């Protein structure tokens, strides 16, 4: 049973975009590894910008600086 966890910043990914990600990742595992789509789990976590850090700073701070 494959389990895939996608983490993205919380910036308004639409319901349709998330649906496409779930279907696309599932189809990739079916095509490449022969996995059963009925037992493939895909979870999308949306992380607030202030909780995502790069280079010692939050993405929120980095984007405000730009």
């Amino acid at each position: 049973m494959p389990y895939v966890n996608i983490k993205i910043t919380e910036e308004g990914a639409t319901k349709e975009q998330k649906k496409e990600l779930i279907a696309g990742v599932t189809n990739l595992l079916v095509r490449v590894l022969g996995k059963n789509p009925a037992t493939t789990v895909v979870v999308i976590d949306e992380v607030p910008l202030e909780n995502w850090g790069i280079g010692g700073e939050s993405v929120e701070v980095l984007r405000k600086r730009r």
Side-chain angles (χ1 to χ4, degrees):
M1 174 173 78
Y3 174 89
V4 178
N5 185 222
I6 300 171
K7 293 186 182 280
I8 59 175
T9 53
E10 196 174 65
E11 297 180 87
T14 67
K15 192 173 189 176
E16 186 58 39
Q17 288 170 322
K18 292 180 221 178
K19 181 179 175 183
E20 189 174 337
L21 282 171
I22 291 167
V25 169
T26 300
N27 291 334
L28 182 66
L29 287 165
V30 170
R31 183 175 56 81
V32 174
L33 299 177
K35 296 300 181 179
N36 181 351
T39 60
T40 298
V41 177
V42 179
V43 175
I44 299 173
D45 289 327
E46 293 182 276
V47 180
L49 292 177
E50 68 269 13
N51 293 347
W52 194 295
I54 301 172
E57 295 186 286
S58 73
V59 172
E60 181 179 49
V61 169
L62 292 170
R63 292 209 178 141
K64 284 181 181 175
R65 189 177 315 131
R66 288 184 186 165

